[in-house]
Amino acid sequence: MKNGSITTILAGCMGMALSAALFAAPALAADKTVKIGNVEPLSGPSASVGVQGKQAREMAIEEINAAGGIKSLGGAKLELVYADSKSDPTVGVTETERLINTEKVNLLTGCWNSAVTYPATQVAERYGIPFVVPVAVRDTITERGFKNVFRIAAKDSWWVRDQFRFLKDMQEETGVKLQKIAFVFENGDWGTGFAEKWRELAKKDGYEIVLDEPYPSTATDLTPVVTKLKAAKPDIVMLVSNAADAILLTNTMAEMQVKPKVVLASGGGHADPKFLENTDTNALGIFDEVEWNTDVNKPAAKPANEKFKKKYGYDLTGESVDAYVAMYVIADALERAASTDPAKIREALAATNLTTGPGMIVSYDGVQFDETGQNKNAGIVIVQVANVDGKPERVTVWPKAARRAGYVPAFPANK
Amino acid sequence: MTAVIQAALNGAMMGAMYGLTALGLTLIFGVMKVVNFAHGSLLMVGMFSAYWLIRLTGIHPYLALVIVPPVLFVFGYYLQDVVIKPVFKAEGQVREPLTVIIVTTGVWYVLDNLALMLFGAEYRTVRTAISNKSFALGEFIISIPKFSGFVVAIATAIGLALFMRKTKTGKALRATSLDREAANLMGIDQYRIYNIAFGLGTAIAGIAGCVLIPFYYVYPSVGVVFDIRAFIIVVLGGLGSIPGALLGGLVIGLIESVFSQFMASTWTEAIIYAIFLIILFVKPSGFFGHKQDW
Amino acid sequence: MSRKQLDRILLAVVALAAFGLPLVVTSPTYLQILILLFFYAYLTTAWNLVGGFAGVLPLGHSVFVGIGAYTSSILTLQYGVSPWIGMLVGGAIAAVIGVIIGLPTFRMRGAYFCLCTIAFAEGIRVMVENIDTLGPLKINGPRGLLVPLLKDPTFWDYQFMSKLPYYYIILVLLILVLAFTWFISRSKIGYYLAAGGEEPEAAAALGINVANYKLFAMALSCFLTALAGTFYAQLMLYFYPKGLMGLDLSFEIAFIALIGGRGTIAGPVIGALLLRPLNEFTRIYLSDMLPGLHLVIFGLILILVMIYLPKGLTAPLAALYDRLARKITGQGAAK
């Protein structure tokens, strides 16, 4: 074995050298297209959100190209290049390198998972390629002093801040006083990040924390958590859940007849198109915090959603709207930059002030980045699952200005 | 106290079902002396079979219980015959061939990802006639799908134990389990017995699938979640022992449910591993295992 | 030309080729793929010291990668210690934990050993996910650790703007671990380990304390594995428990060894050479239309290799080389 084994390494290495020579073939840069690289989870545990983001991007790009592309670049068309991160940071980095060096993309977007966004934006920062992050909510993403990272979605401290504002506003509006609060969250990057800030704000607002419960997102049974919740008798239950556990939790709570006065979720699993399908009437009364809802008060929103639903068979979600808007933000920046030079695109992105146009279907007034690259206007709405014409539907209730006309929120949802 | 009793009731029901998911694994190990890493995938196949059957025909989940397991028996029988047997034959002399473990791992990858290609990554649930139903026992709430799962799990374990004792095939399985060579000499075809054992193990995964579907969701890698727990259960109960699997399942279910009333439920996972390792060092053969097996 | 000369020339050519490869492959994309290829080859070679030579199948090695990454990163983030030093500290901690795990498990039989290493690794991962701070150490639970990107890193920071230094670091590490393995396999230790792996009773009867040699192999393997953990942390600058310490990585390491040829020196490298590019290219070209296809191919290869080449791909490749070498050197049947 001895000699043979060493030398077989050789044979292998030579094969590798050959294939390496094949890699070296240069990519042909076509004229008049701007390439946008997208790192998204297209397989693996978060594949369904990855595909939703992909479809939203495609619709936006079709619209932009149909309207004549980037005029300052002689009508250049936008082209999307996708890379699958599998929700794995290692893969995300390899793919970001590939998009920058082999595909020669002019700018990047992605990655939905915070865990992939951290290292992928680091790669982009090294090369000085602008990176627009539609979603990935961890605060730290825009707090590392990076020059090339721009985020459309609100960051998690804002999400939590608005959840507590909502609770306060609603208690004032209805005159109901709620005291005991419970936290139930998935034990991942996202859930633990939210919980950390919940504790701070709950203390500040004078709530009594009666339960602070992380659960493994792969749990087979959430009955123990719900049993605990039942014993703690909270007025308010705050949730962070992924798709599967949101369904399991909602159905288990109904089965165990746990009916807190207010259940407030944080999007994600609760905002997934599959959620209502799988929970049906068990979900009635739940409040959910999202960036967008189909009934949002913007003229372009309704036609955009109808077009999307016709094309792909489901409603736009907050996260896909972020992806959709990101394409319009990019198109706007390219128009002003009048160049495909990354540094110029970066400057144009930093100066973004997009308030009008077909892409502005968001719930807030416009996209503008602060010095860290965070969209400082990014807003959030809170919806309630209500019975509309005999079917559970998500109805916007907060902020009050955005509330669906004629809807009176059930607050508390249970007595 | 109410919460603890409620948690214990729920833990016992879930535990019996965990035991059921481990039953096929322990049977296959008992006879073939191989840890079947594809077991979770077989459970996934069982769950998807039950899911599609109920979704497409709308039949009662109890009825699925008579259709899915026989289909899975045939599937398991031929899976072993075609894929695993060749490796066994190549390593006929080795008592616990590691290559077979690796082949089962390959089967796991293939099955899980075929499911991903066919059905996509999404989580699926189906509303059955018993989904979300419960009854009250005094102040405690008993979920009907879980309670029937509990009953089915215990009935399956008893049925399997009787089968092993009373029938000719069962006796042949036990003989092979105790001494492969001696069984061979007595005219038992070792490889046919393996096929039957693997088929039975798969059929039990099918039963577990039918029991889980009314209240749980299915997705391509759902098996992994149950797999690791099933490994722990069979080692706790003693690899190869039928009552051991059931008892191991109950212990895990109770720990998971009751302990989480006193600490964050993420910690119960760590406690299960700790208890597992302690038992392994104190009594490596588990509750009912044979010393020769570890 | 004698056979020995031929072997030496070839070995030199390969080493030169590996060192010179970045002259041809200038694209950072492919450098990154090569870096990961060497990274996996390195991890598998380190695993092979236990999984190959000691005849057991550990399936929890990712936990040592995690220990390496966490130790060096915590030392850097909180105490400003260079990751180069943290790397060695992490290795030492991993070796100690490896021995602690090895003490009780090495007396177990195949299946039990497998399951125990899984339980140990998963247990440690779950603990890390549950711990936010451990005394003064900030572990950060499931959120993982973020190593800040430096503007002007020096060598001492173990952070580089270009891919090239990473390529050479992992290449040197790989060559070192291969040399180590070669040395051990020819030494008394390797012989005892092999004897203990195949015939534990017979080895014990000969008065060989197999357990001690196995523990030595385990400590060494864990030490080396943890070094790669620091490398990963410095390459990616971010890691979290589920990604780095999960079972996926442990299984992938074992797969590479098994397909390449467990217990051989070249096996891990050949396994990585085959599986890593397969992994990357099927993902790039196939995952868009058929997610999961590449893992089906993975599984099928694993099954086919186990059925037709239970000793892995190294054996037939070595035989092929033997035949060629005999033709070149003009010698008759050697061995």
Side-chain angles (χ1 to χ4, degrees):
Chain A
M1 195 69 266
K2 313 267 139 68
N3 286 327
S5 55
I6 294 169
T7 36
T8 35
I9 303 177
L10 310 182
C13 285
M14 284 174 180
M16 189 172 61
L18 268 177
S19 46
L22 287 174
F23 299 166
L28 281 172
D31 288 330
K32 291 212 170 181
T33 56
V34 180
K35 278 182 148 185
I36 304 171
N38 301 276
V39 184
E40 284 278 293
L42 298 174
S43 67
S46 316
S48 59
V49 279
V51 172
Q52 287 166 27
K54 184 179 174 208
Q55 291 171 339
R57 283 173 170 83
E58 270 158 14
M59 189 167 97
I61 292 298
E62 271 171 32
E63 290 167 4
I64 294 167
N65 286 341
I70 307 299
K71 288 164 195 89
S72 69
L73 288 168
K77 300 274 183 277
L78 298 184
E79 184 195 337
L80 294 170
V81 184
Y82 288 99
D84 179 13
S85 73
K86 301 207 275 185
S87 298
D88 177 344
T90 316
V91 176
V93 165
T94 312
E95 290 294 275
T96 310
E97 291 275 3
R98 182 174 69 84
L99 289 175
I100 295 173
N101 296 301
T102 309
E103 298 287 345
K104 310 277 183 215
V105 298
N106 302 91
L107 68 174
L108 286 154
T109 83
C111 310
W112 193 78
N113 314 75
S114 289
V116 181
T117 313
Y118 286 135
T121 47
Q122 260 162 353
V123 173
E125 182 73 9
R126 269 189 185 149
Y127 289 103
I129 303 285
F131 199 121
V132 178
V133 180
V135 203
V137 291
R138 295 285 298 163
D139 284 0
T140 11
I141 286 170
T142 48
E143 288 172 358
R144 292 171 295 169
F146 286 7
K147 289 267 164 283
N148 294 289
V149 179
F150 300 91
R151 172 163 51 192
I152 307 281
K155 48 183 177 182
D156 57 9
S157 52
W158 295 1
W159 283 75
V160 173
R161 179 197 66 198
D162 282 9
Q163 286 179 322
F164 278 87
R165 278 187 187 164
F166 158 79
L167 289 172
K168 205 168 160 204
D169 287 357
M170 290 307 290
Q171 289 181 64
E172 276 169 13
E173 186 182 325
T174 57
V176 180
K177 187 84 194 95
L178 302 174
Q179 189 55 43
K180 292 190 213 158
I181 197 163
F183 305 145
V184 176
F185 52 96
E186 61 96 28
N187 184 37
D189 182 65
W190 180 37
T192 45
F194 265 53
E196 203 174 19
K197 302 196 170 68
W198 278 345
R199 284 176 208 121
E200 261 170 51
L201 289 179
K203 214 168 144 196
K204 217 176 91 204
D205 286 2
Y207 292 106
E208 181 195 343
I209 302 172
V210 291
L211 183 68
D212 188 344
E213 181 79 0
Y215 64 83
S217 47
T218 52
T220 40
D221 178 27
L222 289 172
T223 318
V225 174
V226 174
T227 310
K228 239 170 147 173
L229 201 55
K230 195 174 187 180
K233 294 194 180 60
D235 299 326
I236 305 166
V237 178
M238 309 274 282
L239 302 173
V240 174
S241 304
N242 292 309
D245 33 322
I247 298 167
L248 197 57
L249 201 56
T250 308
N251 288 338
T252 311
M253 277 170 77
E255 187 183 284
M256 301 288 290
Q257 292 156 25
V258 180
K259 290 174 182 152
K261 287 179 180 147
V262 172
V263 176
L264 177 52
S266 316
H270 288 88
D272 194 280
K274 286 269 156 206
F275 175 71
L276 282 185
E277 193 185 310
N278 285 316
T279 53
D280 204 32
T281 52
N282 289 344
L284 285 177
I286 290 180
F287 290 98
D288 189 21
E289 183 179 44
V290 285
E291 294 150 291
W292 193 83
N293 196 38
T294 47
D295 61 2
V296 76
N297 190 19
K298 278 286 168 85
K302 209 167 181 170
N305 186 52
E306 270 161 15
K307 187 175 166 194
F308 188 82
K309 196 166 183 179
K310 207 170 150 203
K311 222 170 147 114
Y312 302 112
Y314 59 92
D315 285 322
L316 279 165
T317 62
E319 283 153 4
S320 25
V321 167
D322 283 328
Y324 178 81
V325 172
M327 295 301 125
Y328 276 96
V329 168
I330 288 171
D332 166 66
L334 285 167
E335 197 68 73
R336 283 181 288 109
S339 161
T340 51
D341 174 36
K344 294 222 174 84
I345 299 176
R346 195 235 148 239
E347 289 313 315
L349 275 170
T352 296
N353 186 5
L354 186 65
T355 51
T356 52
M360 286 313 290
I361 60 171
V362 289
S363 60
Y364 46 91
D365 293 332
V367 178
Q368 242 184 321
F369 297 108
D370 64 14
E371 66 283 0
T372 65
Q374 170 65 40
N375 173 10
K376 53 185 171 190
N377 299 329
I380 289 160
V381 293
I382 285 175
V383 301
Q384 182 167 38
V385 180
N387 198 334
V388 178
D389 306 328
K391 269 184 78 182
E393 189 181 311
R394 303 160 68 86
V395 179
T396 305
V397 295
W398 187 92
K400 213 173 169 184
R403 185 175 299 168
R404 186 185 289 187
Y407 182 74
V408 182
F411 188 99
N414 298 296
K415 293 288 166 245
Chain B
M1 200 56 212
T2 321
V4 175
I5 295 170
Q6 174 77 58
L9 287 171
N10 178 68
M13 291 190 293
M14 282 311 290
M17 278 181 275
Y18 294 156
L20 182 61
T21 62
L23 210 53
L25 190 66
T26 210
L27 174 72
I28 291 171
F29 182 87
V31 176
M32 300 167 64
K33 308 294 171 215
V34 161
V35 179
N36 176 20
F37 272 88
H39 189 71
S41 303
L42 298 178
L43 181 67
M44 180 273 297
V45 173
M47 286 173 84
F48 262 116
S49 310
Y51 169 83
W52 285 116
L53 186 66
I54 296 170
R55 170 131 235 175
L56 297 177
T57 64
I59 62 166
H60 197 282
Y62 296 154
L63 203 60
L65 216 44
V66 279
I67 300 170
V68 172
V71 174
L72 263 88
F73 176 84
V74 176
F75 177 68
Y77 187 97
Y78 285 103
L79 185 67
Q80 142 71 24
D81 197 53
V82 175
V83 179
I84 300 172
K85 196 169 79 183
V87 192
F88 253 114
K89 283 200 161 155
E91 300 216 23
Q93 304 311 311
V94 188
R95 187 171 177 280
E96 286 180 24
L98 285 178
T99 41
V100 179
I101 296 187
I102 296 146
V103 168
T104 62
T105 317
V107 171
W108 158 26
Y109 271 53
V110 171
L111 287 180
D112 276 21
N113 289 290
L114 276 179
L116 179 66
M117 285 161 64
L118 285 173
F119 308 130
E122 64 189 80
Y123 296 86
R124 293 161 184 273
T125 57
V126 58
R127 277 184 177 253
T128 67
I130 54 170
S131 295
N132 289 319
K133 299 253 165 41
S134 58
F135 63 89
L137 194 74
E139 54 184 319
F140 306 111
I141 295 164
I142 308 287
S143 146
I144 290 178
K146 284 182 192 163
F147 183 72
S148 37
F150 175 77
V151 174
V152 171
I154 291 183
T156 308
I158 293 174
L160 184 64
L162 285 177
F163 173 81
M164 297 292 273
R165 278 178 197 286
K166 304 284 176 196
T167 64
K168 206 173 161 218
T169 317
K171 285 177 185 160
L173 282 166
R174 284 202 298 149
T176 313
S177 148
L178 289 173
D179 193 332
R180 224 176 262 170
E181 283 75 26
N184 258 336
L185 290 176
M186 286 164 65
I188 297 173
D189 176 1
Q190 176 190 344
Y191 295 110
R192 208 178 79 85
I193 290 297
Y194 285 0
N195 290 352
I196 293 173
F198 210 89
L200 276 177
T202 313
I204 295 170
I207 297 178
C210 292
V211 158
L212 289 169
I213 272 298
F215 70 96
Y216 202 64
Y217 40 78
V218 57
Y219 57 98
S221 52
V222 68
V224 181
V225 175
F226 289 94
D227 236 349
I228 307 265
R229 203 181 264 106
F231 291 154
I232 292 183
I233 289 168
V234 291
V235 178
L236 267 188
L239 270 170
S241 159
I242 295 168
L246 202 59
L247 189 65
L250 283 170
V251 168
I252 298 288
L254 283 169
I255 291 176
E256 200 177 75
S257 194
V258 175
F259 275 47
S260 66
Q261 299 309 307
F262 303 101
M263 60 184 75
S265 40
T266 41
W267 272 108
T268 56
E269 243 186 307
I271 289 195
I272 287 172
Y273 287 116
I275 291 180
F276 168 79
L277 292 169
I278 291 169
I279 293 201
L280 209 55
F281 299 143
V282 178
K283 193 173 185 303
S285 53
F287 302 143
F288 297 107
H290 299 287
K291 188 154 167 52
Q292 52 163 7
D293 282 337
W294 58 278
Chain C
M1 186 165 59
S2 78
R3 174 65 187 270
K4 214 167 188 172
Q5 277 172 317
L6 180 72
D7 288 351
R8 280 189 184 155
I9 292 170
L10 263 176
L11 199 61
V13 169
V14 167
L16 267 176
F19 275 97
L21 205 54
L23 294 175
V24 189
V25 185
T26 46
S27 158
T29 312
Y30 297 114
L31 272 182
Q32 171 80 10
I33 292 176
L34 288 174
I35 289 169
L36 287 177
L37 196 160
F38 289 163
F39 172 73
Y40 277 95
Y42 172 87
L43 278 180
T44 310
T45 310
W47 178 91
N48 205 22
L49 288 171
V50 183
F53 295 108
V56 286
L57 194 66
L59 287 175
H61 253 52
S62 63
V63 93
F64 303 110
V65 183
I67 290 170
Y70 270 100
T71 310
S72 65
S73 302
I74 287 173
L75 286 177
T76 311
L77 289 172
Q78 286 184 252
Y79 301 99
V81 178
S82 162
W84 290 105
I85 293 168
M87 177 163 102
L88 299 175
V89 179
I93 293 174
V96 171
I97 293 181
V99 170
I100 293 173
I101 295 178
L103 272 174
T105 46
F106 275 130
R107 60 190 173 112
M108 291 170 187
R109 266 219 155 98
Y112 272 86
F113 179 84
C114 252
L115 297 181
C116 276
T117 48
I118 292 179
F120 256 118
E122 283 291 276
I124 292 176
R125 176 184 65 79
V126 171
M127 297 261 287
V128 172
E129 284 188 343
N130 273 297
I131 296 170
D132 225 36
T133 49
L134 185 69
L137 308 176
K138 212 166 154 31
I139 298 205
N140 233 6
R143 277 159 293 169
L145 293 177
L146 198 59
V147 182
L149 180 75
L150 301 173
K151 289 278 169 246
D152 301 297
T154 65
F155 178 79
W156 205 232
D157 293 320
Y158 203 145
Q159 222 187 83
F160 310 94
M161 294 306 279
S162 142
K163 292 274 163 210
L164 226 46
Y166 291 111
Y167 177 87
Y168 285 112
I169 291 171
I170 195 69
L171 178 62
V172 169
L173 278 172
L174 177 61
I175 290 173
L176 281 177
V177 75
L178 283 171
F180 230 163
T181 312
W182 181 77
F183 173 75
I184 284 184
S185 72
R186 306 205 126 194
S187 74
K188 198 170 70 181
I189 305 170
Y191 172 73
Y192 288 158
L193 277 176
E198 278 151 27
E199 299 284 339
E201 285 85 6
L206 286 172
I208 301 170
N209 192 341
V210 178
N212 279 352
Y213 288 107
K214 278 187 180 175
L215 281 180
F216 172 74
M218 182 75 172
L220 192 61
S221 167
C222 296
F223 177 84
L224 294 167
T225 304
L227 300 191
T230 301
F231 177 80
Y232 179 92
Q234 295 304 122
L235 177 70
M236 295 300 190
L237 302 179
Y238 172 72
F239 58 91
Y240 66 115
K242 210 164 244 151
L244 195 60
M245 303 170 88
L247 287 183
D248 286 351
L249 180 59
S250 295
F251 274 83
E252 189 163 359
I253 294 172
F255 279 9
I256 291 174
L258 292 160
I259 288 178
R262 181 168 162 247
T264 65
I265 297 169
V269 180
I270 289 173
L273 274 174
L274 174 74
L275 292 185
R276 287 309 301 174
L278 184 75
N279 188 340
E280 304 286 348
F281 289 111
T282 49
R283 192 192 64 246
I284 293 172
Y285 296 112
L286 298 179
S287 76
D288 208 13
M289 19 177 211
L290 277 177
L293 179 60
H294 68 280
L295 289 170
V296 172
I297 296 173
F298 239 73
L300 284 177
I301 290 180
L302 200 63
I303 294 171
L304 292 175
V305 167
M306 282 305 124
I307 292 179
Y308 295 106
L309 299 166
K311 300 240 178 296
L313 292 172
T314 305
L317 283 176
L320 184 72
Y321 170 73
D322 238 26
R323 278 227 309 273
L324 284 174
R326 245 178 279 141
K327 265 195 189 143
I328 295 167
T329 56
Q331 288 174 349
K335 288 237 160 169

